[in-house]
Amino acid sequence: MKYIVAGHEAVTDADFAELALGTPLELWLGVEGESDEERAARLDAARDILSDPQFSDLPDDLIRLAARVVENHPDLFNVVPLIRPACRRVARKGVAA
């Protein structure tokens, strides 16, 4: 099944979020390994978008989107400690373990 919004096909969850917000997620979340200069430029662009009257509802849209995610996926917040399994030594042929 294809999901097409305004002529754009959404394939991943990130695609849906980007189409819902009208901006790429990387603008708000950043990217791994970005420099301080890149981060400053990204945040400056984000501030410009938030100050544009066209995007005045964006913070509310983000809150609604986040609330929908929490409501639809409460398991995202089921945090449990992970137990590391004990290391097993594998005996190689001809070598005593």
Side-chain angles (χ1 to χ4, degrees):
M1 176 178 227
K2 288 187 178 182
Y3 294 92
I4 299 176
V5 178
H8 300 282
E9 184 177 345
V11 179
T12 66
D13 292 343
D15 291 342
F16 281 105
E18 185 172 329
L19 289 171
L21 298 172
T23 62
L25 292 177
E26 292 82 9
L27 176 67
W28 309 105
L29 303 176
V31 293
E32 188 175 330
E34 72 182 355
S35 68
D36 290 341
E37 187 176 287
E38 291 168 328
R39 182 177 189 273
R42 177 179 56 78
L43 293 176
D44 189 43
R47 275 189 290 279
D48 285 347
I49 287 173
L50 290 174
S51 68
D52 186 326
Q54 174 186 353
F55 290 100
S56 62
D57 292 333
L58 186 59
D60 295 332
D61 292 343
L62 286 169
I63 291 168
R64 276 193 291 277
L65 179 63
R68 201 172 317 134
V69 168
V70 170
E71 184 177 313
N72 293 336
H73 303 284
D75 53 311
L76 290 174
F77 300 95
N78 291 342
V79 180
V80 296
L82 297 177
I83 300 171
R84 290 182 67 168
C87 294
R88 284 185 26 205
R89 293 182 68 180
V90 178
R92 288 182 277 154
K93 188 175 183 178
V95 178

